[in-house]
Amino acid sequence: DAGVIQSPRHEVTEMGQEVTLRCKPISGHNSLFWYRQTMMRGLELLIYFNNNVPIDDSGMPEDRFSAKMPNASFSTLKIQPSEPRDSAVYFCASTRDSITYEQYFGPGTRLTVT
Amino acid sequence: SQELEQSPQSLIVQEGKNLTINCTSSKTLYGLYWYKQKYGEGLIFLMMLQKGGEEKSHEKITAKLDEKKQQSSLHITASQPSHAGIYLCGAATIAFQGAQKLVFGQGTRLTINP
């Protein structure tokens, strides 16, 4: 199994530009999570999906952030417009519906907004 | 909301020495996950604990969940350079159809000196 795949691995963009991060979960996993990691705030859950439906987006910082999961094998996290404070590492994780099943994390996308 | 506090925040030990990392929750833990992260990479699952008093081991790493299920410890015996990295504990908050939403501690940065 290829594991959770994220792209791009690194993204540098200018303030005001639109940024789209992509995630392909592990086949057979029906829950997907987007996290953001910064030195100041640590690892924070932004949003999670179950069976492609957004369940909890309370962690999404503001309306500039949006996430979609059009099918079981693909999800996007979009920031429009981007700001320097959005600079962070964004992780995607997936898991099966099991109380004993761990979340598998992707390698992350390091976003830098200048 | 549930909060996790890890201690220490950073730890430097001599190769071969034992060490312990603690994770304390503000609320009862229904599931406690330990992950390891290397710089620039995603999180690697180590262990999950659910029952009070539970203890699990993998190679030279042992994790315990106390009887009251509000604290967990991670113990490494005879540390090696490969153990270096950031250790994060994650607590399950809401179980939606089995998939657990996780809240993470700030992490403990472990350095192993030769």
Side-chain angles (χ1 to χ4, degrees):
Chain A
D1 198 324
V4 177
I5 299 173
Q6 290 188 246
S7 64
R9 292 293 310 275
H10 301 273
E11 177 80 35
V12 180
T13 190
E14 291 184 348
M15 182 174 64
Q17 297 298 307
E18 177 179 299
V19 175
T20 299
L21 310 182
R22 297 172 176 80
C23 175
K24 176 178 169 57
I26 292 173
S27 177
H29 287 189
N30 51 4
S31 288
L32 182 142
F33 305 77
W34 281 101
Y35 291 89
R36 178 173 67 176
Q37 187 178 41
T38 62
M39 288 293 291
M40 291 298 294
R41 300 176 66 90
L43 190 63
E44 302 174 283
L45 178 65
L46 300 177
I47 184 171
Y48 76 97
F49 296 84
N50 183 262
N51 292 323
N52 312 336
V53 176
I55 301 302
D56 184 347
D57 65 354
S58 59
M60 296 286 261
E62 46 197 277
D63 292 344
R64 297 184 298 106
F65 285 69
S66 63
K68 294 181 180 180
M69 191 164 187
N71 56 62
S73 59
F74 184 66
S75 178
T76 59
L77 178 68
K78 183 178 293 185
I79 308 172
Q80 166 65 20
S82 58
E83 297 183 2
R85 60 191 168 123
D86 301 331
S87 298
V89 181
Y90 291 81
F91 289 103
C92 175
S94 70
T95 187
R96 293 183 187 142
D97 281 349
S98 169
I99 200 165
T100 61
Y101 209 72
E102 69 269 23
Q103 292 184 18
Y104 286 81
F105 281 75
T109 295
R110 183 174 294 276
L111 174 65
T112 303
V113 183
T114 61
Chain B
S1 62
Q2 185 156 24
E3 293 184 358
L4 293 179
E5 183 173 333
Q6 286 187 237
S7 62
Q9 292 186 354
S10 65
L11 191 57
I12 301 174
V13 300
Q14 199 77 21
E15 183 177 351
K17 297 294 186 183
N18 303 337
L19 62 104
T20 300
I21 298 169
N22 293 303
C23 176
T24 302
S25 172
S26 58
K27 297 182 180 180
T28 300
L29 294 161
Y30 293 101
L32 189 286
Y33 295 73
W34 282 101
Y35 284 85
K36 179 186 174 185
Q37 182 181 26
K38 291 195 171 182
Y39 181 76
E41 300 179 14
L43 279 66
I44 304 298
F45 172 77
L46 296 175
M47 278 170 278
M48 189 201 76
L49 305 164
Q50 278 194 299
K51 300 176 184 177
E54 187 175 10
E55 178 176 323
K56 288 186 177 178
S57 293
H58 176 66
E59 297 180 344
K60 295 185 178 180
I61 301 176
T62 300
K64 301 178 184 179
L65 182 61
D66 75 354
E67 291 289 344
K68 293 184 179 180
K69 295 175 67 175
Q70 285 198 260
Q71 187 171 34
S72 178
S73 60
L74 186 82
H75 185 77
I76 299 177
T77 303
S79 58
Q80 300 170 352
S82 61
H83 289 129
I86 300 172
Y87 289 81
L88 294 105
C89 62
T93 54
I94 301 170
F96 178 82
Q97 296 181 357
Q100 308 220 4
K101 173 181 172 180
L102 298 182
V103 171
F104 284 90
Q106 287 289 88
T108 295
R109 184 179 295 273
L110 174 63
T111 302
I112 308 294
N113 285 337

